[in-house]
Amino acid sequence: MARKSATLGSVLIAQDFLPEHWNWANTDLATLGDIEKMGNVIKTRLENGGCKISEMYAVKHDKDESKLWNEYTMTYDVKFTTNHAHFLIKFSEGKTLEEIAPLVGVEPQFIEKPHRGRYSYDNSLAYMIHIKYDNKYQYDPHDVATIVGKKYIEYYRERYEAWTRGRAERKMNDTKNTLNFLKVGIAKGEINIEDIILNEDYRVAYILYNDQIKKVFESKASADSLLTGLQNRQERGDDE
């Protein structure tokens, strides 16, 4: 028996402003680029389809970027991603993803279902401005439009401390992964101290885990010295 789709309590929509990506009438397409007007179009379409919305927020992300490694310059090239909007919707009466997508007028893959856990919606609120992501552009909370419900800036003021703590915890977890990457790179001779100091993420790892990184450098130097000694002995024929 097929599993029944779940009714969603909230969704996070991400889509650009190209008309071909919205299954809307021409009058609604004229609002593309204006997140408040777009938000009201989406709100009306959902409510006409039987949804009840308790909160809804919209934000334009026009400064997102991705970093691509350039093997020739040995630096990251910054590439800006397509301008797009995020719409966060909380339902008092929702529908399934399969029902919501055609009501909104976008393909289902551009609608994110809530993750498990009690902080799922709170994390979505924080994501509107990237506050928990140290490596992403930090958007101004005043740029988030409130379509329905409690003003976003009120959430921001109430949750600021918790959100910034979450950013620190995420940064620490990322830095632990960076530390392992550095250890292997140092051991293989692919990363030196200059590389670490000149790279912001590597430098943070060096500051937080200075003793561990220094020990790897010392062990690498010791291993290299032993290897050189063995090679010299072999060249002199000391083992014969």
Side-chain angles (χ1 to χ4, degrees):
M1 184 175 178
R3 185 176 180 181
K4 186 177 179 181
S5 297
T7 298
L8 302 180
S10 66
V11 293
L12 182 62
I13 303 165
Q15 186 54 284
D16 59 29
F17 305 111
L18 296 177
E20 57 266 33
H21 293 158
W22 296 87
N23 186 20
W24 287 1
N26 288 335
T27 52
D28 292 338
L29 290 175
T31 68
L32 293 179
D34 186 321
I35 57 170
E36 288 196 57
K37 290 181 178 179
M38 291 177 69
N40 280 305
V41 170
I42 294 171
K43 172 180 176 293
T44 299
R45 291 173 64 98
L46 286 168
E47 289 177 338
N48 287 344
C51 295
K52 292 185 180 180
I53 300 171
S54 57
E55 293 183 347
M56 182 174 177
Y57 305 97
V59 65
K60 181 185 290 187
H61 281 192
D62 56 1
K63 297 179 180 63
D64 289 8
E65 62 184 36
S66 59
K67 295 180 180 180
L68 304 175
W69 181 252
N70 187 321
E71 65 270 25
Y72 298 106
T73 62
M74 299 298 287
T75 58
Y76 283 101
D77 294 332
V78 174
K79 177 183 178 182
F80 287 92
T81 56
T82 306
N83 291 351
H84 59 282
H86 289 281
F87 300 92
L88 176 60
I89 305 167
K90 185 177 183 180
F91 300 105
S92 52
E93 289 185 22
K95 290 186 177 293
T96 66
L97 176 62
E98 292 76 13
E99 293 171 315
I100 289 171
L103 289 176
V104 173
V106 298
E107 294 297 319
Q109 63 265 32
F110 299 108
I111 300 178
E112 182 178 322
K113 296 187 292 185
H115 298 287
R116 291 183 178 180
R118 59 184 293 197
Y119 296 109
S120 176
Y121 184 70
D122 185 74
N123 287 333
S124 295
L125 284 167
Y127 189 79
M128 299 293 277
I129 56 174
H130 289 164
I131 193 169
K132 288 189 177 183
Y133 294 83
D134 184 74
N135 61 340
K136 291 179 180 287
Y137 184 84
Q138 301 293 296
Y139 288 93
D140 190 325
H142 293 93
D143 291 337
V144 180
T146 300
I147 310 299
V148 179
K150 181 177 179 176
K151 296 292 185 183
Y152 183 83
I153 194 65
E154 293 180 22
Y155 268 123
Y156 173 77
R157 289 167 178 159
E158 291 171 2
R159 301 296 298 157
Y160 177 79
E161 184 178 348
W163 287 352
T164 51
R165 282 203 309 269
R167 179 172 62 193
E169 291 171 6
R170 185 180 296 274
K171 184 64 176 179
M172 283 297 295
N173 289 332
D174 290 344
T175 302
K176 287 177 183 177
N177 293 330
T178 299
L179 173 64
N180 292 332
F181 172 77
L182 291 177
K183 285 180 175 181
V184 173
I186 294 166
K188 295 173 67 176
E190 297 172 350
I191 295 176
N192 57 40
I193 190 63
E194 289 81 8
D195 296 326
I196 293 174
I197 299 304
L198 292 174
N199 182 290
E200 182 180 351
D201 290 334
Y202 297 175
R203 191 166 60 252
V204 171
Y206 181 78
I207 293 168
L208 293 174
Y209 301 104
N210 182 275
D211 290 343
Q212 293 187 46
I213 292 175
K214 281 186 174 180
K215 285 180 180 179
V216 178
F217 273 119
E218 291 170 359
S219 297
K220 174 68 165 62
S222 176
D224 288 348
S225 178
L226 289 170
L227 178 61
T228 300
L230 289 172
Q231 290 172 337
N232 289 339
R233 287 175 57 190
Q234 289 175 350
E235 290 175 1
R236 293 195 305 265
D238 293 353
D239 292 336
E240 294 181 359

